Amino acid sequence: MSEPQRMPFVESLLQAAAQARLPGSDIGWLDAARRENLEAFAAAGLPDTRMEAWKYTALRALGQRRFAPGDALAATRDVDAAALALPGVDGPALVFVNGVFRADLSRIDALPAGLNLQPLSQALQGDAEPLRFALSRHYREGGDVFARLNAALAGDGVVLQVAAGAKIAQPVHLLFVGAPAEGDLAWHVRHVIELGEGAELSLVEHHAASGTHQHLGTQVMDIVLRKGAQLQHVTLQDAAEGSTLVRHNSVQLDAQAQAMLYALELGGSLVRHDLHVTLAGDQSRLDTRGVFVLQGRQHIDTQMAIRHQALNTASASVWRGVADGRSRGVFRGAIVVAPGADGSDASLSSKNLLLSSQAEIDTKPELEIYADEVKAAHGATVGQLDERSLFYLRSRGIPLTEARSMLTAAFCRAVFESLPDENLRKHLYHELMAHLPSA
């Protein structure tokens, strides 16, 4: 057996897989996909920093840990869903605790016309064939180890479909809660989301904690927007301080589709987010806005890859990072304009603040162009608060601590100015301010 397979992390998860009986285990094609992804995970083990995709995120400590599988008993912990509610987000909702669906906390009894929303575990009990393309996927890239693990072990998740032409008025809330349990748990959720032609949806993805824990959570989300569909997707990640959370999101935009993605990364000890977007149809458009705020020894790694594949597509990305203490932030933004994607317009901005001499942020913009008549720009900066601005505020009688907080908040707040939902925007501001260093 190779060295990576002997790692406690890999061993514990392979043992969990041997004991698990997952929903849909009687579906031949799904069993085959799970088995092949598990074999690929076992063969590769965890990547190390020699792999480019994981160059700035070491997994040695994680590799020495063992995790027990999440189960229904671990998910029965009392959770105050009202305390985790978001202002203005009181429509349809699916709630998962330690990766297990909680019907008692969810709101899916009276769904609006055109919206199909159900947990994956229930969808697999019915006609699973429409899910075959997404759930049969094999992850071939060397860095996709957690996506393979998720594809092999995910027992639940979200199936969300919006019918062609349907415009869902209220935001859909997907809430993932980590709760204390005996020992460290590993839970895995898999989501399949599709908006039909001309459909419109606002989606709020919320990762929260209900107590202290050190669980591992993995998520794979596949989103498809058909012609002319519009999606607003807001992610608030405020996982438990000691937790590990790895997310792998793929988005495909057909012709004239539009996606607006917002992300606020606050919690977790080790957090990784891989975002892959393909502008597959002519005149499709993507906008992404993101902020991460780190303290202590937090480590958050965002890997974003945008591929322009059709005519006259557009993408605009604005990301901000703040690191204090001994934390480390990583942001990679890669844009590829493929052959034939003439008329593409792509821009990426990554600006970052270091509030401590021991903090570190690694940012890496990449741009590859293989088409004609393209407009593209990217830029990245890492620095400290402007001393002149601090001097100006202090000369007006503002204390140093408050002046630093004001400048840091202004640096981050601009990212969410375009979010149309005022209540949600104010809440993100509130959460942002609560996590900013006070000194």
Side-chain angles (χ1 to χ4, degrees):
M1 183 177 291
S2 64
E3 184 64 25
Q5 292 175 291
R6 293 197 294 269
M7 300 175 74
F9 176 87
V10 176
E11 286 185 352
S12 66
L13 291 170
L14 291 179
Q15 291 171 3
Q19 301 168 5
R21 179 170 175 79
L22 300 173
S25 59
D26 56 344
I27 302 174
W29 57 262
L30 182 55
D31 281 341
R34 285 170 169 166
R35 182 171 58 254
E36 291 176 21
N37 277 290
L38 185 65
E39 291 171 353
F41 165 76
L46 290 178
D48 58 32
T49 54
R50 291 174 295 180
M51 182 176 293
E52 184 63 27
W54 291 87
K55 182 177 180 180
Y56 301 106
T57 299
L59 299 175
R60 292 187 299 273
L62 181 66
Q64 298 307 310
R65 297 180 59 192
R66 292 182 177 274
F67 292 91
D71 55 32
L73 178 62
T76 58
R77 303 280 182 175
D78 289 337
V79 172
D80 186 358
L84 300 173
L86 299 176
V89 184
D90 53 4
L94 284 184
V95 179
F96 297 80
V97 177
N98 294 341
V100 178
F101 172 63
R102 288 283 295 268
D104 58 317
L105 303 177
S106 301
R107 298 187 299 269
I108 53 175
D109 292 334
L111 297 177
L115 175 64
N116 175 31
L117 178 65
Q118 59 181 322
L120 176 65
S121 54
Q122 293 183 11
L124 291 174
Q125 296 175 7
D127 182 10
E129 194 63 26
L131 304 174
R132 183 169 186 167
F133 180 79
L135 300 186
S136 294
R137 185 175 174 185
H138 302 288
Y139 295 90
R140 317 257 181 216
E141 296 294 329
D144 288 341
V145 58
F146 290 96
R148 294 189 195 117
L149 178 63
N150 182 281
L153 293 180
D156 219 330
V158 176
V159 175
L160 191 161
Q161 297 159 323
V162 183
K167 295 175 173 53
I168 309 304
Q170 292 182 302
V172 172
H173 190 190
L174 306 180
L175 176 58
F176 306 96
V177 183
E182 294 184 8
D184 298 337
L185 305 181
W187 50 266
H188 316 275
V189 287
R190 184 75 180 268
H191 315 312
V192 180
I193 297 172
E194 181 174 354
L195 275 63
E197 289 191 12
E200 296 182 10
L201 175 71
S202 176
L203 181 67
V204 179
E205 175 187 338
H206 185 191
H207 299 267
S210 178
T212 303
H213 65 81
Q214 296 183 341
H215 302 333
L216 163 70
T218 74
Q219 167 185 290
V220 171
M221 177 179 288
D222 292 312
I223 300 175
V224 176
L225 307 184
R226 298 304 181 190
K227 181 178 180 180
Q230 297 184 33
L231 171 67
Q232 176 185 284
H233 183 183
V234 178
T235 301
L236 172 57
Q237 186 279 109
D238 193 12
E241 182 178 346
S243 63
T244 300
L245 179 63
V246 185
R247 312 190 321 269
H248 186 288
N249 292 8
S250 298
V251 184
Q252 174 188 314
L253 285 78
D254 290 351
Q256 301 171 23
Q258 298 182 33
M260 189 66 164
L261 311 181
Y262 296 89
L264 180 56
E265 302 271 7
L266 301 173
S269 175
L270 172 62
V271 175
R272 166 86 172 206
H273 182 205
D274 287 88
L275 173 62
H276 299 265
V277 182
T278 301
L279 297 156
D282 295 349
Q283 300 178 19
S284 54
R285 180 177 180 88
L286 167 74
D287 290 271
T288 71
R289 304 285 186 268
V291 175
F292 61 81
V293 177
L294 309 181
Q295 302 185 58
R297 299 184 68 93
Q298 280 185 284
H299 185 113
I300 291 185
D301 184 346
T302 298
Q303 301 280 317
M304 184 173 67
I306 301 171
R307 183 177 179 85
H308 291 253
Q309 198 167 285
L311 295 172
N312 302 315
T313 56
S315 67
S317 299
V318 178
W319 289 74
R320 299 287 184 266
V322 177
D324 196 17
R326 300 182 64 184
S327 62
R328 187 173 189 179
V330 182
F331 178 81
R332 172 180 173 263
I335 299 174
V336 175
V337 181
D342 298 345
S344 295
D345 185 348
S347 65
L348 169 65
S349 170
S350 170
K351 296 183 179 181
N352 304 275
L353 280 179
L354 297 176
L355 302 183
S356 163
S357 60
Q358 294 181 303
E360 181 177 347
I361 295 179
D362 300 286
T363 181
K364 184 181 179 184
E366 300 176 10
L367 182 59
E368 300 179 38
I369 301 175
Y370 303 99
D372 298 323
E373 300 179 5
V374 170
K375 182 179 179 182
H378 66 76
T381 61
V382 180
Q384 298 176 333
L385 289 172
D386 182 59
E387 291 296 335
R388 290 173 298 180
S389 298
L390 278 174
F391 177 79
Y392 175 83
L393 292 176
R394 295 193 69 189
S395 69
R396 298 306 189 267
I398 299 175
L400 176 60
T401 298
E402 187 177 344
R404 286 169 58 87
S405 180
M406 289 173 62
L407 291 176
T408 306
F411 175 77
C412 298
R413 284 169 62 105
V415 172
F416 300 112
E417 290 295 342
S418 61
L419 180 60
D421 188 322
E422 182 179 2
N423 289 328
L424 189 54
R425 185 173 67 247
K426 288 181 177 179
H427 184 76
L428 293 180
Y429 287 161
H430 174 78
E431 293 297 310
L432 174 65
M433 292 299 297
H435 281 77
L436 286 177
S438 58

